[in-house]
């Protein structure tokens, strides 16, 4: 158990819909990262937050957005969903940027 | 453009033998490298790391080697055990615009045969 929690575990929705994925980092970790893993793909970095502020952006689509709240939990919002958005979405946290990251169990999103 | 490449999608090794997983990178600014292990239905877990100032780091049965001139790193597992069967991701990081960005490879699925 990494100490990072993600909800929900599974999500099935239809194209055009909007979903929110939630992540609670390990206690004491200030950095939160979001990754997408599609079939046969590596982990694609989406976005990083540090203590409530956006720190780095990766290959995140404009239809996707994220935020980190004062209690340090983070949410990833995916809108106008397309079939190709079906993937595993992982959240990771670290004490500070550059430290080893601890991953949550992931949310499997299926868009039908 | 895949900056971190794991060219072998899968590898099978006999229990007790050595497993060697390879990773190549293209960005010479990467200065920190990590290996993560991932079991099905779980998130990746950190295994071992190496800084660019070193060429080898060892932790029990796991050793990571870094060849900066070849932009290549490898993970050696000796002896391999059935419980090592998992997907292994290598990752590289560089300080970019004041923060560290991690780039992951596509993973190598290791199967250790009993």
């Amino acid at each position: 158990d990494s100490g990072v929690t993600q909800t929900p575990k599974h999500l099935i929705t239809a194209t055009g819909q909007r979903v929110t994925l939630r992540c609670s980092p390990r206690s004491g970790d200030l950095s939160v990262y979001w990754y997408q893993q599609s079939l046969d793909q590596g982990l694609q970095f989406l976005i990083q937050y540090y203590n409530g502020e956006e720190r780095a952006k990766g290959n995140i689509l404009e239809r996707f957005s994220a935020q980190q709240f004062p209690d340090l939990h983070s949410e990833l919002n995916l809108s106008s969903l397309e079939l190709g958005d079906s993937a595993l979405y992982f959240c990771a946290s670290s004490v500070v940027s550059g430290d080893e990251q601890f991953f949550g169990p992931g949310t499997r999103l299926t868009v039908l | 453009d895949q900056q971190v490449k794991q060219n072998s999608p899968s590898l099978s090794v006999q229990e007790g033998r050595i497993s060697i997983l390879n990773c190549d990178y293209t960005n010479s600014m990467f200065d920190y490298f990590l290996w993560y292990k991932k079991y099905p239905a779980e998130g990746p877990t950190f295994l071992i790391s190496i800084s660019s100032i070193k060429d080898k780091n060892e932790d029990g049965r796991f050793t990571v080697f870094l060849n900066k001139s070849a932009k290549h790193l490898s993970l050696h597992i000796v002896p391999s055990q059935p419980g090592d069967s998992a997907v292994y991701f290598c990752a590289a990081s560089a300080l970019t615009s004041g923060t560290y960005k991690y780039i992951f490879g596509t993973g190598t699925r290791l199967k250790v045969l009993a």
Side-chain angles (χ1 to χ4, degrees):
Chain A
D1 184 0
S2 66
V4 179
T5 59
Q6 287 187 250
T7 55
K9 249 187 154 166
H10 302 276
L11 200 46
I12 301 174
T13 188
T15 54
Q17 295 297 303
R18 173 190 165 97
V19 296
T20 298
L21 313 183
R22 185 189 164 103
C23 167
S24 292
R26 286 187 328 154
S27 176
D29 285 359
L30 299 177
S31 260
V32 169
Y33 311 79
W34 285 97
Y35 292 88
Q36 179 194 56
Q37 186 186 13
S38 304
L39 195 64
D40 294 333
Q41 295 288 312
L43 292 156
Q44 299 290 323
F45 169 69
L46 295 177
I47 197 163
Q48 178 203 354
Y49 279 82
Y50 177 80
N51 205 20
E53 292 189 5
E54 183 185 302
R55 252 299 170 89
K57 252 182 171 172
N59 301 323
I60 188 165
L61 300 170
E62 282 192 20
R63 301 183 285 109
F64 296 0
S65 65
Q67 53 185 325
Q68 186 179 28
F69 294 87
D71 67 352
L72 301 177
H73 91 270
S74 178
E75 292 180 356
L76 179 67
N77 301 297
L78 314 176
S79 60
S80 303
L81 284 168
E82 301 175 0
L83 295 176
D85 297 328
S86 295
L88 268 169
Y89 290 85
F90 288 103
C91 164
S93 73
S94 65
V95 177
V96 292
S97 181
D99 267 6
E100 147 200 348
Q101 296 176 22
F102 293 84
F103 282 78
T107 293
R108 182 174 291 282
L109 173 67
T110 302
V111 182
L112 302 174
Chain B
D1 175 28
Q2 192 70 24
Q3 295 186 58
V4 177
K5 295 179 188 175
Q6 292 177 258
N7 291 318
S8 298
S10 63
L11 176 68
S12 288
V13 169
Q14 209 65 39
E15 181 181 5
R17 306 293 288 265
I18 184 171
S19 295
I20 301 177
L21 296 98
N22 294 304
C23 181
D24 297 295
Y25 61 96
T26 56
N27 188 344
S28 56
M29 298 301 291
F30 288 141
D31 59 4
Y32 190 55
F33 304 88
L34 309 93
W35 285 93
Y36 282 81
K37 179 164 86 169
K38 184 184 178 304
Y39 292 118
E42 293 182 15
T45 54
F46 170 75
L47 195 56
I48 192 169
S49 64
I50 187 166
S51 160
S52 60
I53 62 172
K54 295 177 133 187
D55 53 21
K56 177 182 172 181
N57 189 23
E58 206 168 339
D59 183 2
R61 296 185 297 113
F62 302 92
T63 304
V64 56
F65 295 92
L66 176 63
N67 182 334
K68 287 189 292 292
S69 59
K71 295 193 180 72
H72 176 85
L73 66 154
S74 61
L75 175 68
H76 293 211
I77 307 174
V78 184
S80 301
Q81 299 173 354
D84 296 329
S85 298
V87 177
Y88 289 79
F89 291 98
C90 71
S93 81
L95 188 61
T96 308
S97 304
T99 192
Y100 283 93
K101 256 193 193 173
Y102 282 68
I103 309 292
F104 282 80
T106 51
T108 296
R109 184 178 301 277
L110 173 66
K111 193 169 184 180
V112 180
L113 307 166

